[in-house]
Amino acid sequence: MRALLVVNPKATTTSERARDVLVRALRSEFDLTVALTRRRGHATTLAQEAAAGGVDVLFTLGGDGTVNEAVNGLMAGAPAETRPALAVVPGGSTNVFARALGLPKGWAEGASVILEALHAGRVRTIGLGRADDRYFTFCAGLGLDASVVRRVEQARLRGRTSTPALYMRSAVTQYFTAMDRRHPAITLEQPGETAEGELSTVIIQNTAPWTFLGDRAINPNPDSSFDLGLDVLALRRLRVPSTTRTVTQLLSRHREPHGSQVVRLHDVAEFSLVSDRPQAFQLDGDYLGEREKVRFTSVPSALRVIC
């Protein structure tokens, strides 16, 4: 079988030693080609070329951003019946997608489980989300959520390490100093349904969990699944008391977000978010700039994954 290993050499837990060990293990099983990403978006190009070239399995070693790029390349590079299977070796700081598939957090343990799954033929077909013309695997966000991602990415460019503490500090700073909390600007429009207006931030999930804080899964929509449509958590006005209550519910292992300022939708096939001013936008934890309108759709049975 032919395989391609796409490596992000700048990913948080990726090292030359990890790459060499993984390459030796995979070459004992596959006709393997290794490609290192050189710039943002390069993994998309590599995956698209691999899919068009008849590769059987695409491995990634990197974080969720690398996975997202590779998935978009696979989806563009071949029809569903000939699309390579995806095997995700955790190499980032959080690895939400890999962990949502049941893989361990570390690259060594994850690689071992993937090889075992390949031998046992454990392949699962999952659905994806799509935001306009770009696919996502586990989450998207418009508003506060994406603004925090932007702030974290800016800190990382200054040399900071991505940690749960950095995300928490970024969220607090963004909320108190950089948000227009009094004038919610986002409207959620769903075919055949009444529009939900005056939303401050919207989180979209394609699976659970939404993210992790260290080893703790954060589950705004715990019933979200790769096998269903998209789930939504939106907050109206970000008043301090109601926002504090929602954050407490998010961090609890036993309470789902609820209240007058919370909007939740489950298993949705399509909807649009429209804003009267530009909003920060993220997919799979990568900041993608600002948007005033995004159309979201669920794409069932889109991709085969090793898990």
Side-chain angles (χ1 to χ4, degrees), residues 194-210:
T194 302
E196 289 280 359
E198 296 189 325
L199 305 175
S200 293
T201 190
V202 184
I203 292 169
I204 302 96
Q205 288 178 243
N206 186 51
T207 190
W210 165 51

Side-chain angles (χ1 to χ4, degrees), residues 181-250:
R181 295 184 278 119
R182 296 184 178 183
H183 305 97
I186 303 172
T187 297
L188 189 154
E189 299 175 347
Q190 190 178 354
E193 303 289 341
T194 302
E196 289 280 359
E198 296 189 325
L199 305 175
S200 293
T201 190
V202 184
I203 292 169
I204 302 96
Q205 288 178 243
N206 186 51
T207 190
W210 165 51
T211 191
F212 289 86
L213 281 178
D215 291 329
R216 172 177 288 193
I218 308 299
N219 266 319
N221 295 292
D223 294 328
S224 182
S225 169
F226 289 125
D227 300 320
L228 300 173
L230 302 174
D231 279 25
V232 175
L233 170 73
L235 303 182
R236 294 189 172 96
R237 297 186 185 276
L238 295 175
R239 298 186 178 97
V240 173
S242 61
T243 304
T244 301
R245 181 168 57 251
T246 301
V247 170
T248 301
Q249 293 166 352
L250 282 171

Side-chain angles (χ1 to χ4, degrees), residues 92-285:
S93 58
T94 309
N95 305 303
V96 178
F97 179 63
R99 293 162 78 179
L101 291 173
L103 294 171
K105 183 179 179 181
W107 71 266
E109 297 87 352
S112 177
V113 170
I114 287 170
L115 289 173
E116 179 185 338
L118 283 164
H119 289 152
R122 292 199 302 269
V123 181
R124 176 183 178 185
T125 301
I126 64 169
L128 298 172
R130 185 169 179 171
D132 290 338
D133 60 352
R134 181 157 176 169
Y135 296 92
F136 60 97
T137 61
F138 65 91
C139 82
L142 193 74
L144 174 61
D145 161 52
S147 296
V148 173
V149 171
R150 175 178 58 195
R151 189 173 286 272
V152 169
E153 288 195 4
Q154 290 170 345
R156 293 182 66 182
L157 288 174
R158 296 192 300 268
R160 301 289 300 278
T161 300
S162 179
T163 64
L166 176 60
Y167 274 93
M168 293 298 290
R169 286 195 299 271
S170 299
V172 171
T173 302
Q174 183 69 28
Y175 176 80
F176 282 108
T177 67
M179 289 291 297
D180 182 357
R181 295 184 278 119
R182 296 184 178 183
H183 305 97
I186 303 172
T187 297
L188 189 154
E189 299 175 347
Q190 190 178 354
E193 303 289 341
T194 302
E196 289 280 359
E198 296 189 325
L199 305 175
S200 293
T201 190
V202 184
I203 292 169
I204 302 96
Q205 288 178 243
N206 186 51
T207 190
W210 165 51
T211 191
F212 289 86
L213 281 178
D215 291 329
R216 172 177 288 193
I218 308 299
N219 266 319
N221 295 292
D223 294 328
S224 182
S225 169
F226 289 125
D227 300 320
L228 300 173
L230 302 174
D231 279 25
V232 175
L233 170 73
L235 303 182
R236 294 189 172 96
R237 297 186 185 276
L238 295 175
R239 298 186 178 97
V240 173
S242 61
T243 304
T244 301
R245 181 168 57 251
T246 301
V247 170
T248 301
Q249 293 166 352
L250 282 171
L251 296 177
S252 170
R253 298 181 186 275
H254 306 293
R255 301 178 66 189
E256 298 179 15
H258 61 276
S260 61
Q261 299 301 311
V262 176
V263 176
R264 294 179 63 193
L265 301 174
H266 175 60
D267 192 15
V268 182
E270 64 174 297
F271 62 93
S272 294
L273 297 178
V274 182
S275 175
D276 60 19
R277 59 179 181 270
Q279 300 287 328
F281 174 56
Q282 66 90 5
L283 288 183
D284 286 343

Side-chain angles (χ1 to χ4, degrees), residues 1 24-31 115 119:
M1 294 177 68
R24 285 198 297 271
L26 294 180
R27 279 197 168 138
S28 68
E29 306 281 345
F30 296 94
D31 176 8
L115 289 173
H119 289 152

